[in-house]
Amino acid sequence: VRCSADKNSEVFKATAGGMGLTGFILRMSLQLIPVESAYIYTRHISASDLASLMQILIDKDNDWQYTVAWVDCSGAGEMSGRGVVNIGRHAMPEELSIRHQVSPYKVPHRSTIRVPIITPISIVNRLSSRIFNEIVFSRDAMSGDAPRVVSYDKYFYPLDSIRCWNRLYGRRGFLQYQFVIPFEGGKQCLQEILKRCNRSSFKPALAVLKRFGEESELLSFPKRGWTFALDFGYKPGLLAFLENLDELILDYSGRIYLAKDARMKADTFLKMYPDLQEWQNIKYKLDPRGIFSSDLSRRLRIIEDQS
């Protein structure tokens, strides 16, 4: 079956956001954008609180190709939600250093350090997270918003300067909780999330905030609004805490990212993804015997008849 936004569009919409449940994709064509170097022209803008941080993202979103914010979840009171907005676009050759202008698509080797073993206990805790967040915020606040040019991998994958960084979370590992909520009421929801984290024993070690455009495909996660990704070191009680956050996200008409979910309940999923019935109708036409399934689809009853 050949499909696109214009040809067999129902199949396209169901497959693009369908978590692999409509069948195998044998071949795919993508429209790329031309770039003139392998580098990103970027600025870092610090914000003292969540409201300021969100406003910077709003102001810069239309003028820059890439906008993302790191959020400090360890702060409280007036500092709650402070952070740094990273804005960037593809750099032109003349913006590179003389050395890099010779080979603008060649990225120099990135020196990294490697965590050699899984630590017996998590090194990522309340104290270490607070120290890390303070260092990051102070570093970017001191440097101001002066522009800089960095390689694409350093901009898009900053954590990869430490190889096997996940081992720092110890044997229990970590869980990333990502959701999207509409712009309307978004600030109130995010503030409440931060308050609940600060009042609990579950403080995110890392948090990233971005803005989404319009939604398009069935079952696809993005929709117009704010998306917030929180990394929690795993410990007993975390799943119950996140279930409470699920209810808050539902109250604000938000939804959880299926590709990163391993714990959401089926009833919650059904409320978050109201287009399920439309997707199922297309799924059953393509796969009437239900051959394509997954642990996720069975847990969330994605392929179960809801009629």
Side-chain angles (χ1 to χ4, degrees):
V1 176
R2 293 180 62 88
C3 61
S4 68
D6 301 317
K7 182 178 182 180
N8 289 322
S9 58
E10 280 194 344
V11 177
F12 179 80
K13 289 175 65 176
T15 300
M19 304 293 293
L21 297 172
T22 60
F24 292 117
I25 299 174
L26 300 178
R27 187 169 63 185
M28 181 172 63
S29 297
L30 293 174
Q31 178 64 58
L32 304 180
I33 62 172
V35 298
E36 298 195 42
S37 78
Y39 293 83
I40 301 293
Y41 181 93
T42 180
R43 291 169 55 198
H44 295 180
I45 307 172
S46 58
S48 59
D49 55 52
L50 181 64
S52 302
L53 190 78
M54 297 174 76
Q55 189 59 52
I56 294 171
L57 283 170
I58 293 170
D59 294 340
K60 301 298 182 183
D61 205 28
N62 290 329
D63 299 326
W64 293 78
Q65 286 173 305
Y66 308 110
T67 56
V68 60
W70 157 81
V71 182
D72 180 5
C73 294
S74 65
E78 294 182 356
M79 291 194 303
S80 179
R82 69 175 183 172
V84 178
V85 177
N86 297 334
I87 57 177
R89 59 168 173 77
H90 293 283
M92 304 297 291
E94 59 268 22
E95 294 172 326
L96 308 182
S97 66
I98 300 298
R99 178 166 60 92
H100 292 144
Q101 285 182 20
V102 178
S103 301
Y105 295 108
K106 183 178 180 181
V107 177
H109 175 71
R110 185 176 180 182
S111 59
T112 60
I113 60 175
R114 181 175 181 271
V115 181
I117 61 170
I118 298 176
T119 54
I121 60 173
S122 176
I123 296 177
V124 182
N125 52 43
R126 188 181 292 259
L127 177 59
S128 63
S129 296
R130 184 178 300 168
I131 294 172
F132 168 79
N133 284 308
E134 187 61 45
I135 290 173
V136 172
F137 184 81
S138 300
R139 178 196 64 191
D140 288 314
M142 289 176 61
S143 63
D145 62 352
R148 65 196 82 177
V149 176
V150 300
S151 62
Y152 77 90
D153 59 334
K154 188 174 182 180
Y155 180 84
F156 289 115
Y157 315 110
L159 285 182
D160 288 353
S161 58
I162 302 177
R163 293 170 57 201
C164 305
W165 53 265
N166 56 295
R167 293 176 175 176
L168 295 173
Y169 282 93
R171 297 189 181 280
R172 287 178 173 168
F174 77 102
L175 185 152
Q176 184 171 102
Y177 182 77
Q178 185 169 358
F179 59 89
V180 59
I181 50 173
F183 289 131
E184 298 76 17
K187 183 172 72 172
Q188 291 83 354
C189 180
L190 294 177
Q191 287 174 332
E192 179 61 25
I193 293 283
L194 292 175
K195 285 180 183 178
R196 294 190 183 190
C197 289
N198 277 313
R199 288 198 300 258
S200 73
S201 60
F202 306 104
K203 282 202 172 184
L206 188 67
V208 174
L209 179 66
K210 292 180 282 191
R211 285 163 53 86
F212 276 161
E214 300 297 330
E215 62 182 307
S216 54
E217 322 316 340
L218 296 173
L219 283 197
S220 189
F221 167 65
K223 69 175 181 177
R224 187 175 177 274
W226 299 97
T227 180
F228 204 24
L230 306 167
D231 287 3
F232 293 93
Y234 186 80
K235 59 182 178 179
L238 176 62
L239 298 185
F241 175 72
L242 295 180
E243 285 183 15
N244 289 328
L245 293 190
D246 289 348
E247 293 300 319
L248 178 64
I249 302 305
L250 268 174
D251 289 342
Y252 283 88
S253 302
R255 58 193 181 207
I256 305 297
Y257 191 7
L258 295 181
K260 295 181 180 178
D261 173 62
R263 40 142 297 274
M264 183 168 43
K265 292 183 176 180
D267 291 344
T268 303
F269 161 75
L270 295 174
K271 296 174 184 176
M272 288 183 172
Y273 287 83
D275 292 334
L276 177 62
Q277 185 68 65
E278 183 182 354
W279 178 88
Q280 284 177 333
N281 293 337
I282 303 169
K283 153 75 173 176
Y284 294 148
K285 290 179 183 178
L286 294 170
D287 180 22
R289 291 185 294 163
I291 293 174
F292 292 94
S293 65
S294 65
D295 289 343
L296 177 83
S297 68
R298 289 186 287 273
R299 171 169 54 87
L300 298 181
R301 303 203 301 270
I302 295 177
I303 58 175
E304 184 176 280
D305 187 1
Q306 302 298 316
S307 60

